[in-house]
């Protein structure tokens, strides 16, 4: 016979799979309150909090997104994705230095993730730290060869420090990947 806690966890899973993230979060929190070491409930709640945060961030509700990300971080303080998400939200609010700290925290945990390198490069560029951003853009472009944004970001940073020949090469690589990139009209 299934315990009451297991039933609540199962309901959380069903709600999560159905897309009711808020409902799933409540169920997982209930399970964790009853059994603080219920690993699957903790992991699922971290996932749900990050997914809720992403939805809120994409909807422009940055403070609410940050709240969900920070709740996820309280549960799993070594979750690189959560640090990255907090950095993305902070970057959206213009808190670039704080965002950089979170991207660096994500990279300490997962140093090869190209998304974290890309986000750090964007933040560094936002501070005018183009020299520092170049290495991170290069890493992203090397690891995500199919992603034009890495090449366009690299081209922009190279151009800003006067390395125009290299910038043109990077721009062409990005252009070859996506000739109709929406940023082209704005940047180039």
């Amino acid at each position: 016979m299934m315990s009451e806690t297991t039933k609540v966890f199962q309901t959380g899973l069903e709600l999560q799979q159905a897309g009711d993230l808020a409902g799933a979060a409540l169920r997982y929190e209930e399970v964790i309150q009853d059994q603080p070491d219920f690993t699957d409930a903790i992991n699922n709640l971290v996932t749900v909090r990050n997914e809720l945060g992403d939805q809120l961030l994409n909807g422009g509700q940055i403070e609410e997104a940050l709240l969900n990300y920070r709740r996820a971080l309280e549960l799993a303080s070594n979750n690189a994705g959560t640090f990255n998400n907090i950095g993305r939200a902070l970057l959206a609010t213009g808190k670039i230095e704080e965002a950089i700290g979170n991207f660096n925290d994500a990279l300490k945990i997962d140093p090869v993730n190209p998304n974290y390198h890309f986000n750090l490069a964007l933040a560094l560029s936002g501070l005018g730290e183009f020299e520092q951003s170049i290495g991170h853009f290069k890493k992203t472009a090397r690891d995500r060869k199919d992603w034009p944004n890495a090449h366009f970001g690299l081209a922009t940073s190279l151009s800003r420090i006067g390395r125009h020949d290299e910038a043109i090469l990077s721009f062409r690589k990005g252009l070859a990947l996506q000739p109709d990139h929406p940023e082209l009209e704005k940047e180039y």
Side-chain angles (χ1 to χ4, degrees), residues 55-182:
Q55 287 179 358
L56 292 163
L57 184 59
N58 291 336
Q61 298 174 290
I62 299 169
E63 292 304 318
E64 292 86 352
L66 278 167
L67 179 65
N68 277 281
Y69 295 143
R70 287 185 174 131
R71 285 184 179 167
L73 198 58
E74 289 170 8
L75 294 164
S77 61
N78 64 340
N79 188 296
T82 303
F83 279 113
N84 183 64
N85 288 338
I86 291 170
R88 289 175 38 240
L90 290 168
L91 196 56
T93 66
K95 297 177 181 173
I96 300 173
E97 288 92 355
E98 285 182 64
I100 288 171
N102 280 275
F103 296 138
N104 279 323
D105 288 340
L107 284 165
K108 286 176 191 168
I109 298 165
D110 184 359
V112 297
N113 189 304
N115 293 328
Y116 307 161
H117 281 279
F118 180 77
N119 290 334
L120 178 56
L122 286 178
L124 290 167
S125 292
L127 284 181
E129 299 291 341
F130 301 112
E131 288 278 354
Q132 289 183 37
S133 73
I134 288 170
H136 295 285
F137 278 129
K138 282 183 176 181
K139 172 119 181 75
T140 305
R142 186 175 50 251
D143 294 346
R144 299 243 350 235
K145 292 176 178 39
D146 63 333
W147 201 23
N149 290 351
H151 296 285
F152 294 134
L154 177 58
T156 300
S157 286
L158 289 166
S159 177
R160 296 271 163 51
I161 62 168
R163 293 167 56 183
H164 300 294
D165 290 342
E166 292 173 80
I168 290 168
L169 289 174
S170 186
F171 172 75
R172 285 183 179 154
K173 287 179 183 177
L175 189 59
L177 291 170
Q178 188 176 1
D180 60 343
H181 192 280

